[in-house]
Amino acid sequence: MTPRLDRWTVNLRQGRVRPRTLEDRPQEFPRVDEALVSRRHRYGYSAAAAEMSLAHQAVDGTPPDGAFADALIKHDLLRGTSEVHRLPGGAAASEAVFVPSDPCGGRAAEDDGCAVAYVHDPERGASDLVILAAQDFTGEPVARLHLPGRMPLAFHGSWIPDA
């Protein structure tokens, strides 16, 4: 039951699927730049996971924080490397969504933008919206917005630029 990062390559002509494990480290909710879904991409982002099986034991459906870990991961799928952004101890991170700096596609590099995630702050008993510069993933957050309450870690979303 340990979640890991796998890539499935689908060959429609041959009717075959080729699964391949990219990393065994427990992690959940891998995301790439939405503009590159189903296309070649170099970078991906995920939330480190701890004992994910505990998430299925909660009676009310709310996964305990012990199921999640205090880190976000940026994967360089071309080089086969990763960077880890550590969060304060006891924090629990949801998936990291990539937000391009130029939503119209005029970026200098694929990772020109930010990784955005909800992070539960156990000291405040509430969540923060944490914004990381994707090209300085292990550095200090660009911003940390304190939310007035706790955002469920299973709350998934995407960022859409104003029209």
Side-chain angles (χ1 to χ4, degrees):
M1 293 248 343
T2 301
R4 62 182 187 209
L5 185 62
D6 290 339
R7 170 175 273 161
W8 293 13
T9 304
V10 179
N11 185 322
L12 296 174
R13 291 180 196 219
Q14 296 178 354
R16 295 185 185 162
V17 176
R18 181 180 58 116
R20 183 172 57 125
T21 298
L22 301 177
E23 186 173 300
D24 284 329
R25 178 184 357 205
Q27 55 198 282
E28 269 288 332
F29 305 114
R31 299 286 297 255
V32 298
D33 178 348
E34 293 292 320
L36 300 176
V37 170
S38 78
R39 297 181 177 179
R40 290 194 188 279
H41 56 274
R42 178 174 178 177
Y43 299 105
Y45 306 87
S46 60
E51 300 176 43
M52 290 303 297
S53 61
L54 293 176
H56 303 289
Q57 297 176 7
V59 175
D60 66 357
T62 303
D65 287 346
F68 295 88
D70 57 356
L72 294 168
I73 306 168
K74 175 185 177 183
H75 299 279
D76 184 331
L77 302 169
L78 181 66
R79 292 191 174 139
T81 60
S82 60
E83 298 176 67
V84 176
H85 182 89
R86 299 271 177 218
L87 299 161
S94 69
E95 65 191 297
V97 177
F98 179 79
V99 180
S101 60
D102 180 353
C104 296
R107 293 177 276 159
E110 181 183 323
D111 62 347
D112 183 8
C114 294
V116 180
Y118 292 115
V119 176
H120 176 64
D121 179 346
E123 290 183 19
R124 286 193 321 109
S127 296
D128 294 337
L129 182 67
V130 176
I131 303 172
L132 304 173
Q135 293 180 342
D136 184 22
F137 196 75
T138 60
E140 289 296 314
V142 173
R144 179 182 296 271
L145 307 170
H146 299 298
L147 303 177
R150 182 174 181 163
M151 183 64 71
L153 292 177
F155 183 79
H156 306 291
S158 294
W159 295 89
I160 301 170
D162 287 342

